Amino acid sequence: MTMSVGLDLKTQKALVEGVMPWLVPTGLAAEALSRLDRPLLAWMQDPEFHMFDSAAHYAEYEDEPGGLSRLERKIATLPPRPEWAMERVWTPDEETDEAYDAAYEKACVTIGGRRLHPRDLDAYTTIAYELADLADQDDDFDPNDIESEADLVRGDLEAALSWAAAGVCVLQQSLPYPFRDVLPYGELDNRPAHRTVYAYANLLGLKHPRKAAPWFTAMVYFSPMDNMGARFLAPGGPSSRLPFGN
């Protein structure tokens, strides 16, 4: 990166700490991007009303048993940051109307042999988990039965990762790099972005836990409220761990 020229290693690390890693689109991800008629819309909200104060947020929790984790204490030192919102592109369900369903279907294309709306982040996430066929998705799942990644993944992890990566690449077309702001989970239309990043980090963690770590960290940075629970898998989080391998 050009911004690192002339900087020592410690400074370079500080510049990208908490920043979402950026994927180079290859294979399925490149195909997905080629089928986009335009990027998913994303915008910074009015800073007069939409600035996230990490210090104020964490102040509400610092007196709880155990206090703040090392990761949370770092994020609490950040200045107020702008909040972003994203365009709504959701998979049709029982709550969407006929007009929305028709518009969604009209926008669908074929990617990787599957029919989907190329800007529907949840579609990539759903396909990824479907292909991975994780044992912990079952109602009768018992974590005590899991000793390794091989016990958890019953499907095709590589194919699943490709779909999750495609979703992340579609998202990253819409955000600036480095993304240091906040993408509030409370905004319903932002939630597909959270789900697709978490899916990629989760699946990557089953193969390369250390490579997944910065993704979980980034999720806590861009969403300190952390409704997805990424802090529990991020280094320095409340109960960070690196499962299965290294």
Side-chain angles (χ1 to χ4, degrees), residues 137-216:
Q137 303 300 303
D138 295 345
D139 293 336
D140 58 353
F141 172 71
D142 184 351
N144 294 318
D145 295 336
I146 301 299
E147 296 182 359
S148 70
E149 173 262 318
D151 296 326
L152 183 61
V153 180
R154 299 174 300 197
D156 187 337
L157 181 57
E158 292 299 328
L161 270 169
S162 293
W163 277 96
V168 170
C169 285
V170 170
L171 168 64
Q172 291 183 337
Q173 294 298 299
S174 305
L175 299 175
Y177 180 84
F179 185 71
R180 302 183 184 281
D181 298 335
V182 176
L183 197 63
Y185 188 87
E187 292 278 348
L188 293 181
D189 297 340
N190 289 348
R191 294 184 182 183
H194 288 252
R195 289 190 283 262
T196 202
V197 175
Y198 187 88
Y200 180 74
N202 186 31
L203 294 171
L204 182 62
L206 296 174
K207 184 179 181 182
H208 298 297
R210 296 189 187 282
K211 291 182 180 180
W215 289 90
F216 289 118

Side-chain angles (χ1 to χ4, degrees), residues 76-158:
T77 65
L78 297 175
R81 293 173 291 157
E83 296 180 341
W84 284 61
M86 303 202 72
E87 169 189 11
R88 169 167 292 199
V89 181
W90 283 25
T91 307
D93 57 25
E94 64 277 0
E95 295 184 3
T96 55
D97 57 32
E98 291 184 4
Y100 179 87
D101 294 353
Y104 182 99
E105 179 59 32
K106 184 178 181 180
C108 284
V109 297
T110 299
I111 300 172
R114 292 178 179 253
R115 190 82 175 161
L116 68 151
H117 192 308
R119 297 195 303 275
D120 182 358
L121 299 180
D122 276 335
Y124 296 95
T125 302
T126 298
I127 294 171
Y129 278 127
E130 173 190 314
L131 290 170
D133 189 19
L134 302 182
D136 62 3
Q137 303 300 303
D138 295 345
D139 293 336
D140 58 353
F141 172 71
D142 184 351
N144 294 318
D145 295 336
I146 301 299
E147 296 182 359
S148 70
E149 173 262 318
D151 296 326
L152 183 61
V153 180
R154 299 174 300 197
D156 187 337
L157 181 57
E158 292 299 328

